[in-house]
Amino acid sequence: MSDPIPGAKDHIDAARKLAATIDDIPSDTALLPINKVGVIGAGTMGGGITMNFLTAGIPVTIVEMTQEALDRGVATMRKNYENTVKRGKMDAALAEAAMGRLTPSLDFGALADADLVIEAVYESMDVKKEVFGKLDGIVKQGAILASNTSYLDVNEIAASTKRPEAVLGMHFFSPANVMKLLEVVRGSATAKDVLGTVMALSVKIGKVPVVSGVCHGFIGNRMLGKRQEQANALIMEGADFAEVDNALLEFGFPMGPFQMADLAGLDIGWHRDPNRIETLREALCALGRWGQKTGKGFYDYDANRQRTPSDVTRGLIAEWAAKAGKPQRSIDAQEILERLLYPMISEGALILEEGISQRASDIDTVWLNGYGWPAWTGGPMYWASHIGLATVVAGLEKHGLPVAPLLAKKAAAGEAFD
């Protein structure tokens, strides 16, 4: 980690304030009253989302499919509040009052009078469209319908209702009761007062909201995908996965891509058939190496979750590289860093070109508040401008990676991202 880039702190503060501004929505736009919220799904995400509103004094009705899932979700929320009180972060009476604002239910009809309903169900387009179609026939007119999707097309979800103007994405980050970032995804039909209301409400519940347009993965996960592609390619070419993680740790990230995969769970999205092995990740899952939850993933974990790079995983990677005919070579930390970070800058430039993000500083705000990008840099786009966009372009070209037209244009003109 280096010394802070000059002006980084001021840039971060200004970017955060600017992110709350939506260019085409007048500041005097009348906002919708949000007096009651509905949440569908009492799992980790749904429970975390619910706690934000309860803590802010807004009653929530949470709906689940089974009594067992509902009870488990409510118990987890209560335990989270109890732990917050134990740590001295909240008064016991306030925690009890927050839980008192919660109405658990198994009936979708209980959402009829909610002013905002957020679904936090399984990340499947078919499931989400079914939920929104059902909500459309139950929830009162004038209410906002939001999806906590991480990747899916909000316009397609909105089209399953007769009120696409009332639909948007609210992409919370896990754990949702802790993480500050909230990507507010603006659909092509989302009404201005709906978007303005959710942005203002996001601040009220303690979040840092950033508007994103509709695309796969929005701002944050779309850029993360480019980093992960290179991380996976690097370990097939001879880089050790621990070295890849260490390159980001030394840059100032709290964790690297393979540590992050172990923490999230390698089994997320796995088809659960140990005999169908088509990727390295599936091979790890078939061996029960699901990450921290099983004590072994890319790393082996002790009782205190301290990690040691796994020789089993190294052996598997070598097998997969040989199978793919990938020649192995030594890869230094500088190349690892360039290949992980420079493609993210290029993708950020595409996001700007396409109008997915209003401004470069919004991208910085997303990555600083949701993904642990180190604050000393001011964020990815600010950092890229500081080291020189021509440096980024030269690095991408050296590694045979694509360069976004906007990035190439700004680099050629000696410009920075605004």
Side-chain angles (χ1 to χ4, degrees):
M1 195 160 67
S2 305
D3 292 331
I5 290 174
K9 186 179 184 309
D10 290 342
H11 168 75
I12 290 169
D13 293 342
R16 185 167 171 166
K17 285 176 188 151
L18 197 55
T21 307
I22 307 157
D23 291 342
D24 65 337
I25 299 184
S27 57
D28 61 354
T29 300
L31 303 182
L32 305 170
I34 306 293
N35 298 314
K36 183 178 177 185
V37 170
V39 174
I40 302 170
T44 303
M45 189 56 82
I49 291 169
T50 297
M51 288 178 71
N52 291 302
F53 293 99
L54 298 178
T55 302
I58 301 170
V60 179
T61 297
I62 191 165
V63 174
E64 253 296 354
M65 300 288 288
T66 68
Q67 191 66 50
E68 182 189 7
L70 190 62
D71 291 345
R72 187 168 56 243
V74 171
T76 299
M77 280 185 266
R78 182 170 287 285
K79 190 167 182 54
N80 285 340
Y81 275 121
E82 286 169 358
N83 289 338
T84 306
V85 170
K86 277 180 196 165
R87 289 196 304 269
K89 302 280 189 185
M90 192 177 202
D91 185 79
L94 290 177
E96 200 52 47
M99 283 302 293
R101 297 183 192 104
L102 180 66
T103 304
S105 180
L106 297 173
D107 178 17
F108 257 68
L111 302 171
D113 62 344
D115 301 303
L116 164 68
V117 178
I118 305 168
E119 66 76 16
V121 301
Y122 184 63
E123 186 77 343
S124 152
M125 179 59 81
D126 289 343
V127 172
K128 290 188 188 287
K129 283 163 77 170
E130 183 184 346
V131 166
F132 272 77
K134 197 170 175 181
L135 283 176
D136 200 30
I138 292 170
V139 181
K140 68 182 181 184
Q141 288 302 309
I144 299 172
L145 306 181
S147 173
N148 175 53
T149 178
S150 309
Y151 289 95
L152 300 177
D153 186 335
V154 170
N155 291 329
E156 189 176 340
I157 293 171
S160 63
T161 74
K162 296 185 180 70
R163 44 174 138 176
E165 72 286 348
V167 178
L168 45 58
M170 290 179 74
H171 178 209
F172 288 82
F173 287 70
S174 188
N177 52 310
V178 175
M179 294 293 284
K180 291 293 185 187
L181 179 65
L182 179 57
E183 279 184 316
V184 180
V185 186
R186 182 181 196 172
S188 56
T190 304
K192 290 182 179 181
D193 60 348
V194 166
L195 183 58
T197 297
V198 168
M199 290 296 284
L201 181 65
S202 302
V203 174
K204 184 177 178 182
I205 63 170
K207 299 303 178 192
V208 176
V210 178
V211 176
S212 171
V214 175
C215 65
H216 182 73
F218 317 126
I219 296 170
N221 281 343
R222 177 170 164 179
M223 290 171 67
L224 182 66
K226 293 300 170 186
R227 191 181 84 179
Q228 195 61 45
E229 278 176 20
Q230 287 304 304
N232 293 338
L234 282 160
I235 62 172
M236 287 292 114
E237 293 169 29
D240 187 83
F241 63 87
E243 290 173 356
V244 174
D245 281 346
N246 285 339
L248 286 191
L249 291 174
E250 286 172 20
F251 187 71
F253 277 91
M255 64 179 70
F258 300 106
Q259 289 171 265
M260 191 172 76
D262 274 1
L263 179 63
L266 298 177
D267 61 320
I268 291 176
W270 182 41
H271 48 62
R272 292 291 191 272
D273 181 354
N275 299 310
R276 196 176 114 211
I277 301 173
E278 294 162 3
T279 66
L280 170 65
R281 195 161 179 151
E282 288 174 3
L284 288 165
C285 285
L287 291 176
R289 305 190 70 88
W290 296 3
Q292 287 194 23
K293 65 177 79 173
T294 58
K296 52 189 179 179
F298 280 94
Y299 296 86
D300 292 321
Y301 296 88
D302 66 17
N304 298 315
R305 295 203 173 191
Q306 295 300 304
R307 68 183 183 281
T308 307
S310 167
D311 287 334
V312 173
T313 301
R314 284 174 172 148
L316 267 180
I317 291 169
E319 280 176 34
W320 280 84
K323 203 187 300 182
K326 294 274 185 190
Q328 302 292 285
R329 64 187 176 90
S330 177
I331 302 176
D332 63 32
Q334 184 60 31
E335 179 180 341
I336 291 172
L337 203 60
E338 289 176 3
R339 286 178 58 183
L340 292 176
L341 301 186
Y342 289 179
M344 296 174 65
I345 307 306
S346 186
E347 199 66 22
L350 284 176
I351 286 168
L352 288 171
E353 254 180 287
E354 295 166 16
I356 298 299
S357 177
Q358 289 187 104
R359 50 189 82 91
S361 62
D362 283 4
I363 296 174
D364 290 336
T365 300
V366 165
W367 270 85
L368 288 160
N369 290 280
Y371 295 86
W373 188 285
W376 72 267
T377 67
M381 309 310 276
Y382 189 80
W383 169 76
S385 296
H386 174 76
I387 64 169
L389 300 188
T391 301
V392 176
V393 169
L396 288 166
E397 289 174 341
K398 177 175 70 177
H399 300 305
L401 298 169
V403 178
L406 179 63
L407 175 58
K409 181 181 164 190
K410 282 187 170 292
E415 296 174 356
F417 287 113
D418 302 326

